[in-house]
Amino acid sequence: MKNILKYLPKAAACFFILLFVYAAISKTLDFENFQVQLAQSPLVSAYAGFISYSVIIIELIIAGLLLSERTRTIGLYLSLGIMVSFSIYIYLILNYSDFVPCSCGGILEKMSWSQHLIFNLCCVILSIISLYINRGLQNYDRKTISITIGVISIFSSGIVIFLFLTSEHIIKKENNFTRRFPHHVIREDLSYDLKVNSYYFAGAVDDTVYLGNTTSPFLLTKIDEKLSTTRTTYINPNKKLKYSAPKISISGQSFYLSDGYVPVIFKGGINDPKGDAHQITSDSPFFDQIKIIDSLTMVIRSQSNINNENILGLIKLSSPADIILKDDALDKQTDGIFDTDGQILYDGSEKSIYYFYYYKNEILKFDTELNRIGREKTIAQNTSHTPEIHTLKDGTKKIGVPSLPSNQNMIAYKGLVLTQSNLMGKFEQASQWRKNDIIDVYDLRKNEYWGSFYLPNPKKEKLHQMLIHKSHLYVLIGKKIVKYRIAQTLLDQFNQGKPKT
């Protein structure tokens, strides 16, 4: 038995050499995919670039040390350290991460995460036994070896825990443009062909989704949640005007017809078959965006009479009616028009108003009195895509070189903001961008980035708008409305405001 045991350190060394060399070569041959996997890890996403090179180099160095009998002991110690690191990494994945990513590739590709952990622990035990046997063969002090094993194990565990804690902070608070994609966030449920691409979401109530139509502005279309039955109502304003771009919004049991270029706002009941609407404002400022807060309050985006810069304001229908314009709500950098261009969002459950810039990677948060209460940077925070502006001889301003908005198609729901992004992050595959739209999710309650998901779009049709209602994501894309079921991974964010552990 002793004769067999004395060969164990050498056999263990051969095993680790094969394991580490194979692992290093497989990672190198599929290096881009290896970096993508690390970037999607809920533990070390922020360090994917550094770790991707370090792990390969360390594995090859350990394999080299194990080849020589003189350095084999050092190689076994390092083998212990790296296997302890891998074991702690998997333990944290299984017990403390926001989500469990796909299994690693390579020789262990077919194993589950739990099987990986068992395999790694067996490797840890093998390295420890080999070190103790090696001690007997080379007359090393047992106490010294025990202390060294303990120090290496604690140090290796500490490094992984440190990377986990700091990576989470960086990804959620100081993101370096590394996206994280939890798996299966949405799953297609139903779709319906609308025949035309001019529809937009007016809102949703109970089991009905309401659609407006830019080419038939007084047509309100109702579609049930099974996307199988549609009904239409023609809205009849009680005043004839030269309407320019009327738009419908749903809030509670009422619809609102607004045209900021007239400007005027009408109100009616969603269950009124006649679609009668009466005017509820007079002498309101011109506006190009409006969000209904409640039956007495609307937030608008208008333009200053002095310099034509974008400003935000409130229309209050209480008696007497009041109009509040806030020139300092938006942050001007250059012209105050294109650089402050963005979209007003309203989250009824949080009673919060958001302004999401198109070209600046920033979200502003306001209370219902338009007092700014927060600001959140998006993950592409170091990227500026404000278009080039030229001032013509008559004083008008014009976009020079066209610039694609960094963010578009935004929605706010229960403390979270979802936005379609046009910028590719680090360690992302161009093939995924060719067949999907990318949706980023931000938790504005905790001022952090939550994650991203792929919205299937293999034909690269235009994504017009998104809507969340009753645990489902509705999307207008091309000429279709598509309904997606939202996975529990994201629902937990809506319901609890924190990840499920």
Side-chain angles (χ1 to χ4, degrees), residues 256-286:
Y256 296 81
L257 177 72
S258 60
D259 190 333
Y261 298 97
V262 174
V264 66
I265 302 174
F266 296 90
K267 180 180 178 181
I270 58 175
N271 295 316
D272 182 358
K274 296 182 179 179
D276 291 336
H278 61 278
Q279 185 177 343
I280 58 174
T281 60
S282 60
D283 300 324
S284 66
F286 293 93

Side-chain angles (χ1 to χ4, degrees), residues 192-197 461 464 477-481:
Y192 182 83
D193 188 358
L194 295 168
K195 308 299 182 185
V196 295
N197 61 3
E461 298 175 292
H464 302 288
I477 186 166
K479 298 179 180 180
K480 297 187 301 181
I481 178 173

Side-chain angles (χ1 to χ4, degrees), residues 291 343-356 363-365 409-419 440-442 444 466-469 473 494:
K291 283 292 180 182
Q343 184 175 333
I344 301 173
L345 307 173
Y346 178 63
D347 186 344
S349 64
E350 297 290 316
K351 304 297 181 185
S352 295
I353 299 167
Y354 305 115
Y355 191 81
F356 206 137
I363 311 169
L364 303 180
K365 183 177 181 180
N409 292 321
M410 309 148 186
I411 52 172
Y413 184 77
K414 292 189 176 181
L416 271 64
V417 170
L418 284 68
T419 176
D440 296 328
V441 183
Y442 298 91
L444 273 299
M466 299 182 291
L467 170 76
I468 294 179
H469 181 60
L473 172 67
F494 297 139

